[in-house]
Amino acid sequence: MESRTKISAAFFNPQSRAPTPEYLSGLYCFLSQNIHGSSLLRHVATLGEVWPIWATARDDICNLPNSERYVSILVDWAKGGPSVPVSEARSGIIALPLLLILQVGQYFRYIESVGISHADFIDQVRDSGGIQGCCGGEPPALSIACARNEAQVVENAAVFLRILLGVGGYIEALDDWTTSEPTILALRLKYEGQEEEIMRQFPGVKLRFLVTRCLG
């Protein structure tokens, strides 16, 4: 089936909800039967060899509890294992690489469904809205935008997979991994310095990172 409507832009964004086991199973089924998707799964399956590199770099990463188990959950899924553990995991070690896998997989599924190649897709968006990535959506956006063909999309994604695995570990190390409660809040500030006023109201809170935006 050929695409009749010209594509104007593509947007890759973070998501607030974990994919369901049913969706992950369907995604695996598609990737495993797609030549480029199966290549992506093979890269995911090697992440168990990458984690020790990050773990030996810093003690706080090495000492993270359950980190190797989280990595193995994602690796097992890429090898055809269960989807439920991946869906239920609440760890950046899984969440960040998984978002890349999800969105690259969705991209491959899309161009297949409309009957176009990656080169065709790039030609259509190049002089229009382009390819946009926000926060966790930046790695898949860059993987796609910087590739000449489908195989190179996977090559780019493989590099980002290894980086995101470590970034997820650093997030876990900075976070309070002793609790399952939310520990990160996003606030829109009305004026410069308001973050200090808010923090004084909650003396027991430890401030790790704070990005502010003043509305003026």
Side-chain angles (χ1 to χ4, degrees):
M1 181 177 67
E2 295 184 356
S3 175
R4 298 180 179 179
T5 303
K6 183 177 179 180
I7 304 164
S8 58
F11 298 89
F12 297 85
N13 302 299
Q15 61 185 59
S16 58
R17 294 184 180 180
T20 64
E22 293 75 18
Y23 184 87
L24 288 173
S25 296
L27 176 67
Y28 174 82
C29 183
F30 167 78
L31 292 175
S32 63
Q33 296 176 13
N34 178 279
I35 183 172
H36 302 293
S38 59
S39 177
L40 179 63
L41 288 175
R42 286 194 293 272
H43 284 293
V44 178
T46 67
L47 291 180
E49 303 169 13
V50 177
W51 178 253
I53 299 174
W54 291 104
T56 55
R58 289 178 60 100
D59 289 340
D60 50 358
I61 304 296
C62 181
N63 295 330
L64 277 173
N66 299 318
S67 58
E68 293 185 0
R69 182 175 69 86
Y70 285 131
V71 176
S72 66
I73 285 174
L74 192 57
V75 168
D76 288 345
W77 174 81
K79 294 180 178 180
S83 296
V84 172
V86 179
S87 178
E88 293 180 346
R90 296 296 180 265
S91 169
I93 294 172
I94 287 181
L96 291 183
L98 181 61
L99 182 61
L100 174 62
I101 299 165
L102 285 171
Q103 296 191 349
V104 170
Q106 289 166 351
Y107 173 71
F108 283 145
R109 181 177 281 177
Y110 173 75
I111 62 175
E112 180 181 285
S113 69
V114 298
I116 63 174
S117 67
H118 172 73
D120 295 331
F121 183 90
I122 295 297
D123 284 341
Q124 291 191 38
V125 301
R126 177 179 285 114
D127 298 322
S128 300
I131 298 174
Q132 311 295 328
C134 174
C135 192
E138 290 182 6
L142 289 169
S143 297
I144 293 166
C146 297
R148 293 187 299 272
N149 51 47
E150 288 85 347
Q152 198 168 60
V153 171
V154 176
E155 292 175 9
N156 295 341
V159 174
F160 279 115
L161 275 173
R162 289 156 173 77
I163 295 173
L164 291 173
L165 185 70
V167 172
Y170 274 80
I171 291 174
E172 292 293 303
L174 290 168
D175 200 0
D176 183 4
W177 44 261
T178 64
T179 176
S180 60
E181 297 299 320
T183 57
I184 299 176
L185 295 176
L187 303 175
R188 172 175 287 184
L189 304 178
K190 295 182 178 179
Y191 49 85
E192 187 173 356
Q194 188 182 19
E195 72 276 12
E196 296 178 1
E197 296 178 11
I198 294 174
M199 294 304 299
R200 283 196 293 268
Q201 297 179 41
F202 302 93
V205 173
K206 295 181 179 179
L207 181 62
R208 297 285 191 177
F209 293 99
L210 183 62
V211 178
T212 65
R213 178 183 177 187
C214 300
L215 301 183

